[in-house]
Amino acid sequence: MTIQTTRLSDPAVRAFVAAVNAHDREAFLALLAPGATMADDGLDRDLDDWIDREIFSSNGHLEVDRESDGGRALLAHYRNDTWGEMRTRWSFTVDEDGRISRFETGQA
């Protein structure tokens, strides 16, 4: 059973999932701290290239199954037009200003 986005515990993570699912690149970028980084399957990636390719140009969508670590770790079904649907894990580092400084994802 999925968790409704509005019920996710961490405000920054909740806004991240909402921006992904709304395909709202501006809202997504506003959530990121300056110099934010990310990794996919354990490899650091170019953030701008990755989000354009894996989220915004391919209609990415997250359905969260479970959260832990105060809402900063997710187990979710992720789908996009390139790869289809897969079970994924997500973890977030949120700075003291409430902005995401790093996120990591990969297949679960």
Side-chain angles (χ1 to χ4, degrees):
M1 183 171 214
T2 61
I3 301 171
Q4 292 178 350
T5 302
T6 57
R7 293 186 169 269
L8 294 172
S9 300
D10 187 274
V13 174
R14 182 172 53 242
F16 179 99
V17 173
V20 168
N21 290 347
H23 306 114
D24 188 339
R25 190 176 195 281
E26 283 185 40
F28 181 94
L29 292 175
L31 299 167
L32 302 178
T37 61
M38 65 86 51
D40 184 2
D41 284 328
L43 298 172
D44 280 0
R45 307 290 182 158
D46 177 271
L47 182 95
D48 289 326
D49 176 61
W50 190 91
I51 64 170
D52 284 340
R53 186 181 65 252
E54 301 292 338
I55 298 174
F56 297 108
S57 69
S58 61
N59 298 306
H61 186 84
L62 268 168
E63 290 184 19
V64 178
D65 293 328
R66 190 169 57 224
E67 64 175 359
S68 57
D69 191 25
R72 293 187 178 172
L74 307 177
L75 188 60
H77 282 90
Y78 184 74
R79 68 177 181 269
N80 67 24
D81 293 344
T82 303
W83 303 108
E85 184 172 321
M86 64 191 87
R87 193 159 172 84
T88 56
R89 57 172 173 68
W90 299 76
S91 63
F92 299 86
T93 303
V94 179
D95 69 16
E96 67 251 8
D97 294 327
R99 296 175 77 188
I100 297 168
S101 59
R102 181 168 177 83
F103 69 92
E104 298 182 19
T105 187
Q107 292 194 46

